[in-house]
Amino acid sequence: MVFYAQNGNQRPVRLSERTRRFAYESLNRKYGLDTLKTMGVSLDDVENFDALPSITKHDLAIMRIAQQAPVRICEGELVSGAATLGHAIKHVIPATYEDKPVFGSISHLTVDFETVLKEGINGIKSRAEAAYEKHRGSEREAFAKSCLNCIKAFAVWHGRYLDALQDRPEYQQNYENLRRVPFEPATSFYEAVQSLWFTFAFIRLCGNWPGIGRIDWLLGDYLKKDLESGKLSLEEAREILAHFFIKGCEWVNGQYIGSGDAQHYQNIVLGGVDTNGDDVTNEVTYLVLDILEELGIGDFPTTVRLSKNTDEQLLRRVAEVMRFGGGILAVYNEDLILDALVKDGYEAQEARAFANDGCWEVQIPGKTYFIYSPFDSLQILQQKTLREYDETVDFANFEELYQKYVSDLHTKVEAIFLDRQKKFGSSDAPGEAWKWAKQQPCTVVSLFEQGCIEKGSSYLEGGPIYNIYSPHIGGLADTVNSLYAIKKLVFDEKKLTVSALLRILKNNWEGCEALRQYALNHYTYYGNDNDEVDEIASRLLSDFADICVSFNGKCGYRFPAGVSTFGRQLEWSPKRFASPHGRKQGEVLAANASPTPGTDREGATAIIRSYCKADHSKLATGAALDIRLLPSSVEGEDGLQALMALMRGFVALGGFFMQPDVVDAAVLREAQAHPEDYQTLSVRVSGWNARFVTLNKKWQDMVIAQNEHG
């Protein structure tokens, strides 16, 4: 079985034929299509269901899922457990009443797998039992009881797999390995992988989409111990871990055409330091990179924590895997992020544990409720500051225009805060004294978030240690370029007045093509290492970050700033007017913190330099930079060294998060025309990976446009 990168290069072969066959079947939809055969469990037979308390409905749903979800044992699998209900792929708890899902589910979190590995589910159960006794007779009793009910359901599901494996002699190894875990602490690498997978599978069987987090830190000590004792060889460990990744493709089905079928937030973080500041890079780090390189699995977008101290061997290995394309690997600048988290109020030891939320926004895993609120900054400029291009709008100078825009930005962030404030029953008491409003039940994920059990409060009701609501500015480059174009056209070169420019823009540049071309092509916009325009971007991000954190302490959330679009530029485009930098009404423009498509003319290094001029230590949840590289630019030893240098420069200059993708737009156009030949072609979209053929045409066109190299 041969796996090819999207540039046609054959991937190396290290894994057994059995494992490669398993990967081929999973990536080619065998198990995803099987999952769609059973969409969920029904609660229609529950007497007086409508009258039941919400938490009771939830617990009935989780138990029924555990009792009735199909048990799947894949041919030749080394790791067991499967999320086999189709509604879970749609981000809901897969239990229906009168053919409608009863509850939504949770994502944008990475749960506490460390406690599962070290203490087992029984350790969590002991804490839940103590919490139940503590909260009996209070308003928190129902949640505490729900924790015990969901652990009981987990045990039922675990027992069903043990029964199924025990009846299959060829899977006795799986049975023995699953018998203790995840209810007892893992004692070996094989048990640890099985424990991690089985817990993850149960959480997402119940409709939730958690991230995996720092898998090499979680598993590294187990493998080291087994290798030293001779219990396991590195080749055997690679096979076991590969099955973890292959099992993670069990939802690949090709049926949901839209923003892609691989965006289930099961992200992985590699490398970096532990809470004591010691490097965690180990054999598991390199095994993960081996598996990603050989199988090209894009369902676990993986980010490597790099720093000025990153070992040359790891940096080289990352570059070797990255240049196969598919957008599987991205990089964090660990030095910068630790600085950002400490500035945001985290203890240094806590900050060192950072992973992500299952996408790329930074959080402390197993301790954080996280949600973000994205908005289009260009619409604020066009619709608020410039009042939908009202010709009576005027400014004496650029500074006056800029300050009015920042004021409008403050109003937007304040509106986000006021909306979030509604999640509380009182606004009279500050900080932690706020009373959280009742939310839908989400006990399964709450079991794996520190603080929830002890407080008797769910993940959605203030249970986690950290509760984060992050305003995310979108359309950054479009706004910066628009401000810069106004500055140059009106205030510096005095080619026309504010009123005249707004009249032209309101008419979508009609009859003013020469001026439009001048605005489009004469100026050097963000992404080309032009200090004049980059200073506007840096200043705007700094002001935005200050606005966000000014709302800290005014309710039960913290409000760190971030930068993202996650593809929303598609839905924003119809609401946008013509832009001062020469773009017409309705164009799809910039993604994340990246340049407006077509304006970056000086290459990847210039893009990074523009991006890094901002003080990213003020953006505690992150700012994503997309970098597109042609396959020819990373060929051979010279290409490898160039890619390594690009990553070193990103770290040295103070970047936050960079997601490079090695892709040829010609290949994407061919895949668009002949999808049957490119079923497994993976691309980095906007924080996740997706098989290109499962993007709808609008998404495909956007990805192609972003990958056009000038």
Side-chain angles (χ1 to χ4, degrees), residues 372-432:
Y372 69 101
S373 182
F375 63 89
D376 184 5
S377 64
L378 183 62
Q379 287 184 52
I380 294 174
L381 177 64
Q382 294 177 339
Q383 298 178 15
K384 300 299 182 182
T385 307
L386 301 176
R387 298 206 305 264
E388 298 186 358
Y389 296 158
D390 184 337
E391 293 177 34
T392 64
V393 171
D394 196 15
F395 301 98
N397 50 52
F398 177 74
E399 183 63 21
E400 187 177 317
L401 165 63
Y402 179 82
Q403 290 300 333
K404 178 61 171 69
Y405 179 71
V406 170
S407 175
D408 292 334
L409 198 59
H410 187 284
T411 300
K412 177 62 180 180
V413 175
E414 184 176 36
I416 292 170
F417 159 73
L418 291 173
D419 178 71
R420 192 50 24 179
Q421 194 179 54
K422 297 173 185 175
K423 297 293 182 181
F424 298 88
S426 168
S427 59
D428 298 327
E432 295 182 2

Side-chain angles (χ1 to χ4, degrees), residues 216 270-273 278-286 305 310-311 314:
D216 51 354
L270 296 177
V273 298
D278 298 322
D279 185 18
V280 307
T281 306
N282 56 57
E283 290 87 350
V284 174
T285 312
Y286 289 99
R305 287 171 50 161
T310 296
D311 183 78
L314 177 59

Side-chain angles (χ1 to χ4, degrees), residues 13-30:
V13 177
R14 301 181 187 89
L15 297 166
S16 68
E17 181 62 25
R18 177 181 75 168
T19 294
R20 292 166 68 79
R21 170 61 63 181
F22 184 22
Y24 179 82
E25 291 176 340
S26 193
L27 286 168
N28 282 277
R29 307 185 293 166
K30 177 178 180 178

Side-chain angles (χ1 to χ4, degrees), residues 63-188:
M63 179 57 77
R64 190 154 291 188
I65 288 167
Q67 292 170 335
Q68 296 183 5
V71 170
R72 179 196 294 144
I73 300 174
C74 304
E75 183 179 351
E77 70 179 20
L78 296 176
V79 178
S80 295
T84 55
L85 295 174
H87 278 311
I89 304 175
K90 297 184 175 182
H91 209 329
V92 296
I93 294 177
T96 62
Y97 181 71
E98 296 181 347
D99 294 325
K100 295 180 180 179
V102 180
F103 297 107
S105 56
I106 305 297
S107 60
H108 287 287
L109 82 167
T110 292
V111 299
D112 180 16
F113 290 117
E114 180 188 9
T115 296
V116 175
L117 294 177
K118 293 183 176 178
E119 299 180 22
I121 302 299
N122 286 337
I124 296 173
K125 181 181 178 183
S126 295
R127 287 205 292 277
E129 289 171 338
Y132 178 68
E133 291 302 319
K134 174 184 175 182
H135 296 301
R136 286 181 72 172
S138 75
E139 63 180 5
R140 302 179 190 272
E141 178 180 347
F143 171 74
K145 182 64 175 176
S146 179
C147 290
L148 295 173
N149 288 340
C150 289
I151 291 172
K152 183 178 180 180
F154 195 176
V156 168
W157 191 64
H158 182 251
R160 292 179 65 210
Y161 268 91
L162 289 178
D163 291 344
L165 291 167
Q166 193 171 27
D167 291 340
R168 302 277 296 274
E170 68 273 31
Y171 291 104
Q172 284 308 294
Q173 183 183 29
N174 297 55
Y175 170 78
E176 291 297 332
N177 197 48
L178 183 61
R179 192 166 50 84
R180 294 182 63 261
V181 297
F183 282 83
E184 297 294 335
T187 60
S188 69

Side-chain angles (χ1 to χ4, degrees), residues 423-472:
K423 297 293 182 181
F424 298 88
S426 168
S427 59
D428 298 327
E432 295 182 2
W434 284 62
K435 182 177 176 60
W436 294 70
K438 212 65 179 159
Q439 302 294 313
Q440 72 167 50
C442 56
T443 309
V444 171
V445 298
S446 301
L447 288 170
F448 304 101
E449 285 288 318
Q450 294 182 32
C452 293
I453 291 174
E454 293 77 8
K455 293 179 186 176
S457 300
S458 81
Y459 175 80
L460 292 175
E461 296 174 4
I465 294 171
Y466 305 110
N467 291 281
I468 306 298
Y469 197 85
S470 181
H472 271 215

Side-chain angles (χ1 to χ4, degrees), residues 317-345:
R317 192 74 189 97
V318 170
E320 288 172 346
V321 178
M322 189 178 284
R323 68 177 177 179
F324 272 96
I328 297 169
L329 284 183
V331 295
Y332 282 131
N333 179 358
E334 180 178 75
D335 299 329
L336 183 285
I337 292 172
L338 294 180
D339 184 29
L341 291 173
V342 170
K343 284 182 178 178
D344 198 48

